[in-house]
Amino acid sequence: MSAPERIPAGRLSATEPAAEPAAPEGATGLSDVFLAEGELTVRGQIAEASNAVLYCTVTHEGRTAACVYKPVAGERPLWDFPDGTLAQREVAAYEISRACGWDLIPTTVLRDGPYGTGMVQEWIAAPDGEGADDAGDEIPELLALVEDEEPGPGWKAVGFAQTGAGRTALLVHADDPRLRRLAVLDAVINNGDRKGGHLLPAPGGRFFAIDHGVTFNAEDKLRTLLWGWAGEPLTDEALEVLRGLQKALADAAPLAARLAELITDAEIEALRERVAGLLRTGRHPEPGGDWPPIPWPPV
């Protein structure tokens, strides 16, 4: 088979996305095998993405589901990450999420595709309509801008933001246990780009987190909108999960072997140190002074 053509990010010719395909039973939870072995068909491109992001369908054993395909050939080089490694980092983030038992990241695999090796991830379709439907698919409200000086009940303050015309508003996020788990996960994987637009509502009141290409750097690069718990004690649940993750990252453990296929030895060691540090302090991390703590743009 001939080598795939290298794709300049944002310049891939593609058709318009097809109608949403029928998902297999248990969608919002496709298996790794389904995504890795199914027939991948490109349907269109998500044009606003900074790298090449392709909307696809994958068909396996007579069933079809939607997915996202990010070919390595469409990645733009970054000054602080090795070229051609973002897809592997997305898969590594999924492996850590799964090991934690929180399943906050959609099923994600590394596989060959029409434009070469890339990350393939389950497509998360938002619930229809607003609010809740008859099945109880409430759309969780996770982020907001408020004019008050303090967050209201059920919210955590991130900081003040310029909203135009010289006005400021308080950026807040929900004081939600699922979001708090994500804040811990981001600290573990050293997520350098946790924006509001990376949180996708899903049926059943769930949400998923996407876009984890700039993770696992050996240097501290945590940038997130989820600073509301900064300095607060970790929950008992989080501490238990971190203790399990520490064991799973031991040299001979299957998770460590899997990560060695995706990120460098130095990055794995830094991952272990972050987990150990969270267990040692027992607290959510606080912003450091050497790196902007909030990504731009924040959404």
Side-chain angles (χ1 to χ4, degrees), residues 100 102 104 142 156 173-188 194 199 207 224-239 241-242 278 282-285:
C100 289
W102 287 334
L104 292 166
L142 303 175
K156 288 284 189 177
H173 64 67
D175 188 6
D176 185 300
R178 300 164 299 177
L179 211 57
R180 190 166 187 172
R181 293 178 191 128
L182 183 60
V184 175
L185 178 64
D186 281 343
V188 167
R194 173 59 70 215
L199 305 177
F207 74 85
T224 176
L225 290 181
L226 305 181
W227 287 116
W229 297 284
E232 293 188 15
L234 294 165
T235 64
D236 290 341
E237 177 200 33
L239 291 170
V241 166
L242 289 170
L278 288 168
R283 294 182 177 273
H284 288 268

Short mmCIF file of all heavy atoms in Angstrom, two decimals, residues 100 102 104 142 156 173-188 194 199 207 224-239 241-242 278 282-285:
data_model
loop_
_atom_site.label_atom_id
_atom_site.label_comp_id
_atom_site.label_asym_id
_atom_site.label_seq_id
_atom_site.Cartn_x
_atom_site.Cartn_y
_atom_site.Cartn_z
N CYS A 100 -8.77 5.00 35.71
CA CYS A 100 -9.36 5.64 36.89
C CYS A 100 -10.79 5.15 37.14
O CYS A 100 -11.31 5.33 38.25
CB CYS A 100 -9.37 7.15 36.71
SG CYS A 100 -7.73 7.93 36.81
N TRP A 102 -13.41 6.36 35.71
CA TRP A 102 -14.35 7.47 35.59
C TRP A 102 -14.94 7.60 34.20
O TRP A 102 -15.97 8.24 34.02
CB TRP A 102 -13.65 8.77 35.99
CG TRP A 102 -13.41 8.89 37.46
CD1 TRP A 102 -14.13 8.29 38.45
CD2 TRP A 102 -12.39 9.65 38.11
NE1 TRP A 102 -13.63 8.62 39.69
CE2 TRP A 102 -12.55 9.46 39.51
CE3 TRP A 102 -11.35 10.46 37.67
CZ2 TRP A 102 -11.74 10.07 40.45
CZ3 TRP A 102 -10.53 11.07 38.60
CH2 TRP A 102 -10.71 10.87 39.98
N LEU A 104 -14.39 9.41 31.56
CA LEU A 104 -14.70 10.79 31.20
C LEU A 104 -14.34 11.11 29.75
O LEU A 104 -14.77 12.14 29.23
CB LEU A 104 -13.95 11.75 32.14
CG LEU A 104 -14.43 11.74 33.59
CD1 LEU A 104 -13.41 12.45 34.48
CD2 LEU A 104 -15.79 12.40 33.71
N LEU A 142 -22.39 23.59 32.91
CA LEU A 142 -21.10 23.42 33.54
C LEU A 142 -20.33 24.70 33.72
O LEU A 142 -19.55 24.83 34.66
CB LEU A 142 -20.26 22.43 32.71
CG LEU A 142 -20.88 21.05 32.48
CD1 LEU A 142 -20.00 20.24 31.54
CD2 LEU A 142 -21.09 20.33 33.80
N LYS A 156 -18.42 27.37 41.48
CA LYS A 156 -17.08 27.67 41.93
C LYS A 156 -16.49 28.76 41.05
O LYS A 156 -16.65 28.74 39.83
CB LYS A 156 -16.19 26.42 41.86
CG LYS A 156 -16.50 25.36 42.91
CD LYS A 156 -15.97 25.79 44.25
CE LYS A 156 -16.07 24.67 45.28
NZ LYS A 156 -15.49 25.08 46.57
N HIS A 173 -17.62 27.76 37.30
CA HIS A 173 -17.97 26.43 36.82
C HIS A 173 -18.78 25.72 37.89
O HIS A 173 -18.74 26.09 39.08
CB HIS A 173 -16.74 25.61 36.41
CG HIS A 173 -15.78 25.28 37.52
ND1 HIS A 173 -16.10 24.45 38.56
CD2 HIS A 173 -14.49 25.67 37.73
CE1 HIS A 173 -15.06 24.32 39.37
NE2 HIS A 173 -14.07 25.07 38.90
N ALA A 174 -19.51 24.71 37.48
CA ALA A 174 -20.39 24.00 38.41
C ALA A 174 -19.59 23.26 39.47
O ALA A 174 -18.51 22.72 39.19
CB ALA A 174 -21.26 23.01 37.63
N ASP A 175 -20.11 23.27 40.69
CA ASP A 175 -19.53 22.49 41.78
C ASP A 175 -20.11 21.08 41.67
O ASP A 175 -20.94 20.66 42.47
CB ASP A 175 -19.86 23.14 43.12
CG ASP A 175 -19.13 22.48 44.28
OD1 ASP A 175 -18.28 21.60 44.03
OD2 ASP A 175 -19.41 22.84 45.44
N ASP A 176 -19.66 20.38 40.65
CA ASP A 176 -20.24 19.11 40.24
C ASP A 176 -19.21 18.00 40.47
O ASP A 176 -18.05 18.15 40.07
CB ASP A 176 -20.61 19.19 38.75
CG ASP A 176 -21.34 17.96 38.24
OD1 ASP A 176 -20.75 16.85 38.31
OD2 ASP A 176 -22.48 18.10 37.76
N PRO A 177 -19.58 16.90 41.10
CA PRO A 177 -18.59 15.85 41.39
C PRO A 177 -17.95 15.27 40.14
O PRO A 177 -16.79 14.88 40.15
CB PRO A 177 -19.38 14.80 42.16
CG PRO A 177 -20.82 15.08 41.87
CD PRO A 177 -20.91 16.55 41.66
N ARG A 178 -18.71 15.23 39.02
CA ARG A 178 -18.13 14.71 37.78
C ARG A 178 -17.07 15.66 37.24
O ARG A 178 -16.02 15.24 36.76
CB ARG A 178 -19.24 14.50 36.75
CG ARG A 178 -20.32 13.50 37.21
CD ARG A 178 -21.56 13.64 36.36
NE ARG A 178 -22.13 14.99 36.46
CZ ARG A 178 -23.20 15.39 35.76
NH1 ARG A 178 -23.77 14.56 34.91
NH2 ARG A 178 -23.66 16.61 35.92
N LEU A 179 -17.36 16.96 37.34
CA LEU A 179 -16.39 17.96 36.90
C LEU A 179 -15.16 17.95 37.81
O LEU A 179 -14.04 18.17 37.35
CB LEU A 179 -17.06 19.33 36.90
CG LEU A 179 -16.59 20.37 35.88
CD1 LEU A 179 -16.71 19.83 34.46
CD2 LEU A 179 -17.39 21.66 36.03
N ARG A 180 -15.39 17.67 39.08
CA ARG A 180 -14.26 17.61 40.02
C ARG A 180 -13.35 16.42 39.68
O ARG A 180 -12.12 16.52 39.80
CB ARG A 180 -14.79 17.51 41.45
CG ARG A 180 -13.70 17.68 42.49
CD ARG A 180 -14.29 17.91 43.86
NE ARG A 180 -13.27 18.25 44.83
CZ ARG A 180 -13.51 18.65 46.08
NH1 ARG A 180 -14.77 18.79 46.49
NH2 ARG A 180 -12.52 18.94 46.90
N ARG A 181 -13.94 15.31 39.28
CA ARG A 181 -13.11 14.19 38.84
C ARG A 181 -12.27 14.59 37.64
O ARG A 181 -11.10 14.20 37.53
CB ARG A 181 -14.02 13.00 38.47
CG ARG A 181 -14.75 12.38 39.65
CD ARG A 181 -15.65 11.25 39.19
NE ARG A 181 -16.54 10.83 40.26
CZ ARG A 181 -17.86 10.71 40.16
NH1 ARG A 181 -18.45 10.99 39.00
NH2 ARG A 181 -18.59 10.33 41.17
N LEU A 182 -12.87 15.34 36.72
CA LEU A 182 -12.13 15.77 35.54
C LEU A 182 -10.97 16.68 35.93
O LEU A 182 -9.90 16.62 35.32
CB LEU A 182 -13.07 16.48 34.57
CG LEU A 182 -12.44 16.93 33.24
CD1 LEU A 182 -11.86 15.74 32.48
CD2 LEU A 182 -13.45 17.67 32.39
N ALA A 183 -11.17 17.54 36.93
CA ALA A 183 -10.08 18.41 37.40
C ALA A 183 -8.91 17.56 37.91
O ALA A 183 -7.74 17.90 37.68
CB ALA A 183 -10.59 19.34 38.49
N VAL A 184 -9.21 16.46 38.59
CA VAL A 184 -8.16 15.56 39.06
C VAL A 184 -7.49 14.88 37.88
O VAL A 184 -6.25 14.79 37.81
CB VAL A 184 -8.73 14.52 40.04
CG1 VAL A 184 -7.66 13.51 40.45
CG2 VAL A 184 -9.31 15.21 41.27
N LEU A 185 -8.28 14.39 36.93
CA LEU A 185 -7.72 13.74 35.75
C LEU A 185 -6.80 14.68 34.99
O LEU A 185 -5.71 14.30 34.56
CB LEU A 185 -8.85 13.24 34.85
CG LEU A 185 -8.41 12.57 33.54
CD1 LEU A 185 -7.63 11.29 33.82
CD2 LEU A 185 -9.62 12.29 32.65
N ASP A 186 -7.23 15.93 34.82
CA ASP A 186 -6.40 16.91 34.12
C ASP A 186 -5.07 17.15 34.84
O ASP A 186 -4.03 17.34 34.20
CB ASP A 186 -7.15 18.23 33.97
CG ASP A 186 -8.16 18.20 32.83
OD1 ASP A 186 -8.06 17.32 31.96
OD2 ASP A 186 -9.05 19.07 32.81
N ALA A 187 -5.12 17.18 36.17
CA ALA A 187 -3.88 17.34 36.93
C ALA A 187 -2.95 16.15 36.73
O ALA A 187 -1.73 16.31 36.64
CB ALA A 187 -4.19 17.53 38.41
N VAL A 188 -3.51 14.96 36.64
CA VAL A 188 -2.71 13.75 36.44
C VAL A 188 -2.05 13.75 35.07
O VAL A 188 -0.86 13.48 34.93
CB VAL A 188 -3.59 12.50 36.62
CG1 VAL A 188 -2.87 11.25 36.12
CG2 VAL A 188 -3.98 12.32 38.08
N ARG A 194 -7.45 22.77 28.84
CA ARG A 194 -8.82 22.42 29.22
C ARG A 194 -9.73 23.63 29.04
O ARG A 194 -9.85 24.48 29.91
CB ARG A 194 -8.88 21.92 30.67
CG ARG A 194 -10.30 21.70 31.19
CD ARG A 194 -11.09 20.69 30.38
NE ARG A 194 -10.58 19.35 30.56
CZ ARG A 194 -10.55 18.44 29.59
NH1 ARG A 194 -10.98 18.73 28.38
NH2 ARG A 194 -10.06 17.24 29.84
N LEU A 199 -15.87 20.29 26.70
CA LEU A 199 -16.80 19.54 27.54
C LEU A 199 -18.09 19.34 26.75
O LEU A 199 -18.78 20.30 26.40
CB LEU A 199 -17.09 20.31 28.83
CG LEU A 199 -15.86 20.71 29.65
CD1 LEU A 199 -16.28 21.52 30.87
CD2 LEU A 199 -15.06 19.49 30.07
N PHE A 207 -21.52 13.97 30.66
CA PHE A 207 -20.72 14.77 29.75
C PHE A 207 -19.39 14.07 29.54
O PHE A 207 -18.96 13.24 30.35
CB PHE A 207 -20.50 16.20 30.27
CG PHE A 207 -19.54 16.31 31.42
CD1 PHE A 207 -18.18 16.42 31.20
CD2 PHE A 207 -19.99 16.31 32.73
CE1 PHE A 207 -17.28 16.51 32.26
CE2 PHE A 207 -19.11 16.40 33.79
CZ PHE A 207 -17.75 16.50 33.54
N THR A 224 -6.23 25.29 32.67
CA THR A 224 -7.58 24.77 32.76
C THR A 224 -8.55 25.85 33.23
O THR A 224 -8.15 26.84 33.86
CB THR A 224 -7.62 23.58 33.74
OG1 THR A 224 -8.97 23.12 33.90
CG2 THR A 224 -7.07 23.96 35.11
N LEU A 225 -9.82 25.64 32.95
CA LEU A 225 -10.88 26.48 33.52
C LEU A 225 -11.40 25.91 34.83
O LEU A 225 -12.28 26.51 35.45
CB LEU A 225 -12.04 26.58 32.52
CG LEU A 225 -11.79 27.39 31.25
CD1 LEU A 225 -13.05 27.39 30.39
CD2 LEU A 225 -11.37 28.80 31.58
N LEU A 226 -10.87 24.79 35.27
CA LEU A 226 -11.42 24.09 36.45
C LEU A 226 -10.57 24.34 37.69
O LEU A 226 -10.17 23.41 38.40
CB LEU A 226 -11.53 22.59 36.16
CG LEU A 226 -12.34 22.22 34.91
CD1 LEU A 226 -12.40 20.71 34.74
CD2 LEU A 226 -13.75 22.81 34.98
N TRP A 227 -10.31 25.62 37.98
CA TRP A 227 -9.50 25.96 39.15
C TRP A 227 -10.34 26.17 40.41
O TRP A 227 -9.82 26.55 41.45
CB TRP A 227 -8.69 27.23 38.89
CG TRP A 227 -7.54 27.07 37.94
CD1 TRP A 227 -7.40 27.67 36.73
CD2 TRP A 227 -6.36 26.28 38.13
NE1 TRP A 227 -6.20 27.30 36.15
CE2 TRP A 227 -5.54 26.45 36.99
CE3 TRP A 227 -5.92 25.44 39.16
CZ2 TRP A 227 -4.31 25.82 36.85
CZ3 TRP A 227 -4.69 24.82 39.01
CH2 TRP A 227 -3.90 24.99 37.86
N GLY A 228 -11.63 25.94 40.33
CA GLY A 228 -12.49 26.26 41.48
C GLY A 228 -12.17 25.51 42.75
O GLY A 228 -12.48 25.98 43.85
N TRP A 229 -11.55 24.34 42.63
CA TRP A 229 -11.20 23.55 43.82
C TRP A 229 -9.72 23.70 44.19
O TRP A 229 -9.21 22.96 45.04
CB TRP A 229 -11.50 22.07 43.58
CG TRP A 229 -12.95 21.80 43.34
CD1 TRP A 229 -13.95 21.75 44.28
CD2 TRP A 229 -13.58 21.55 42.09
NE1 TRP A 229 -15.15 21.49 43.68
CE2 TRP A 229 -14.96 21.35 42.34
CE3 TRP A 229 -13.12 21.46 40.78
CZ2 TRP A 229 -15.86 21.08 41.32
CZ3 TRP A 229 -14.03 21.19 39.76
CH2 TRP A 229 -15.38 21.00 40.04
N ALA A 230 -9.00 24.63 43.56
CA ALA A 230 -7.56 24.78 43.80
C ALA A 230 -7.26 24.90 45.29
O ALA A 230 -7.85 25.72 46.00
CB ALA A 230 -7.04 26.01 43.06
N GLY A 231 -6.35 24.07 45.79
CA GLY A 231 -5.95 24.10 47.19
C GLY A 231 -6.87 23.36 48.13
O GLY A 231 -6.52 23.17 49.30
N GLU A 232 -8.03 22.93 47.65
CA GLU A 232 -8.96 22.21 48.52
C GLU A 232 -8.55 20.74 48.65
O GLU A 232 -7.91 20.19 47.75
CB GLU A 232 -10.39 22.31 47.98
CG GLU A 232 -10.98 23.70 48.03
CD GLU A 232 -12.45 23.71 47.66
OE1 GLU A 232 -13.08 22.61 47.64
OE2 GLU A 232 -12.99 24.80 47.39
N PRO A 233 -8.93 20.09 49.75
CA PRO A 233 -8.60 18.66 49.90
C PRO A 233 -9.25 17.83 48.81
O PRO A 233 -10.39 18.09 48.40
CB PRO A 233 -9.17 18.31 51.29
CG PRO A 233 -9.25 19.62 52.01
CD PRO A 233 -9.57 20.65 50.97
N LEU A 234 -8.54 16.84 48.33
CA LEU A 234 -9.11 15.89 47.40
C LEU A 234 -10.17 15.05 48.11
O LEU A 234 -10.09 14.81 49.31
CB LEU A 234 -8.01 14.98 46.85
CG LEU A 234 -6.95 15.65 45.97
CD1 LEU A 234 -5.75 14.73 45.80
CD2 LEU A 234 -7.53 16.04 44.62
N THR A 235 -11.14 14.58 47.35
CA THR A 235 -12.17 13.73 47.94
C THR A 235 -11.58 12.36 48.27
O THR A 235 -10.55 11.95 47.72
CB THR A 235 -13.34 13.55 46.96
OG1 THR A 235 -12.88 12.86 45.79
CG2 THR A 235 -13.93 14.90 46.56
N ASP A 236 -12.26 11.65 49.16
CA ASP A 236 -11.82 10.29 49.48
C ASP A 236 -11.83 9.42 48.23
O ASP A 236 -10.95 8.56 48.04
CB ASP A 236 -12.74 9.69 50.55
CG ASP A 236 -12.56 10.34 51.91
OD1 ASP A 236 -11.51 10.99 52.13
OD2 ASP A 236 -13.46 10.22 52.76
N GLU A 237 -12.83 9.63 47.37
CA GLU A 237 -12.90 8.87 46.13
C GLU A 237 -11.67 9.12 45.27
O GLU A 237 -11.05 8.18 44.75
CB GLU A 237 -14.16 9.25 45.35
CG GLU A 237 -14.26 8.54 44.00
CD GLU A 237 -15.19 9.23 43.02
OE1 GLU A 237 -15.27 10.48 43.05
OE2 GLU A 237 -15.81 8.53 42.21
N ALA A 238 -11.30 10.39 45.12
CA ALA A 238 -10.14 10.72 44.30
C ALA A 238 -8.86 10.10 44.87
O ALA A 238 -8.03 9.58 44.11
CB ALA A 238 -9.99 12.23 44.19
N LEU A 239 -8.70 10.15 46.17
CA LEU A 239 -7.50 9.57 46.79
C LEU A 239 -7.44 8.06 46.56
O LEU A 239 -6.37 7.50 46.28
CB LEU A 239 -7.48 9.88 48.28
CG LEU A 239 -7.25 11.36 48.64
CD1 LEU A 239 -7.51 11.59 50.13
CD2 LEU A 239 -5.83 11.79 48.27
N VAL A 241 -8.79 6.45 44.02
CA VAL A 241 -8.49 6.26 42.61
C VAL A 241 -7.00 6.50 42.35
O VAL A 241 -6.36 5.75 41.60
CB VAL A 241 -9.36 7.20 41.75
CG1 VAL A 241 -8.84 7.28 40.33
CG2 VAL A 241 -10.81 6.71 41.74
N LEU A 242 -6.44 7.52 42.94
CA LEU A 242 -5.02 7.84 42.73
C LEU A 242 -4.12 6.73 43.29
O LEU A 242 -3.09 6.41 42.69
CB LEU A 242 -4.69 9.18 43.37
CG LEU A 242 -5.27 10.41 42.68
CD1 LEU A 242 -5.09 11.65 43.54
CD2 LEU A 242 -4.63 10.61 41.31
N LEU A 278 0.12 14.40 44.17
CA LEU A 278 -1.27 14.59 44.58
C LEU A 278 -1.58 13.78 45.83
O LEU A 278 -2.29 14.25 46.74
CB LEU A 278 -2.21 14.19 43.44
CG LEU A 278 -2.23 15.13 42.24
CD1 LEU A 278 -2.95 14.47 41.06
CD2 LEU A 278 -2.92 16.45 42.59
N GLY A 282 -2.51 15.63 49.13
CA GLY A 282 -3.92 15.38 49.40
C GLY A 282 -4.82 16.52 48.98
O GLY A 282 -5.96 16.60 49.43
N ARG A 283 -4.31 17.38 48.09
CA ARG A 283 -5.08 18.57 47.69
C ARG A 283 -5.05 18.76 46.17
O ARG A 283 -4.12 18.31 45.50
CB ARG A 283 -4.53 19.82 48.37
CG ARG A 283 -4.71 19.82 49.88
CD ARG A 283 -4.20 21.09 50.53
NE ARG A 283 -4.46 21.06 51.96
CZ ARG A 283 -5.59 21.47 52.53
NH1 ARG A 283 -6.56 21.96 51.76
NH2 ARG A 283 -5.76 21.40 53.82
N HIS A 284 -6.07 19.46 45.68
CA HIS A 284 -6.05 19.87 44.29
C HIS A 284 -4.90 20.84 44.07
O HIS A 284 -4.61 21.67 44.94
CB HIS A 284 -7.37 20.57 43.92
CG HIS A 284 -8.54 19.65 43.81
ND1 HIS A 284 -8.93 19.08 42.62
CD2 HIS A 284 -9.44 19.22 44.74
CE1 HIS A 284 -10.00 18.33 42.81
NE2 HIS A 284 -10.33 18.39 44.08
N PRO A 285 -4.23 20.78 42.93
CA PRO A 285 -3.12 21.70 42.68
C PRO A 285 -3.59 23.14 42.55
O PRO A 285 -4.76 23.40 42.24
CB PRO A 285 -2.53 21.19 41.36
CG PRO A 285 -3.64 20.47 40.69
CD PRO A 285 -4.46 19.86 41.80
#
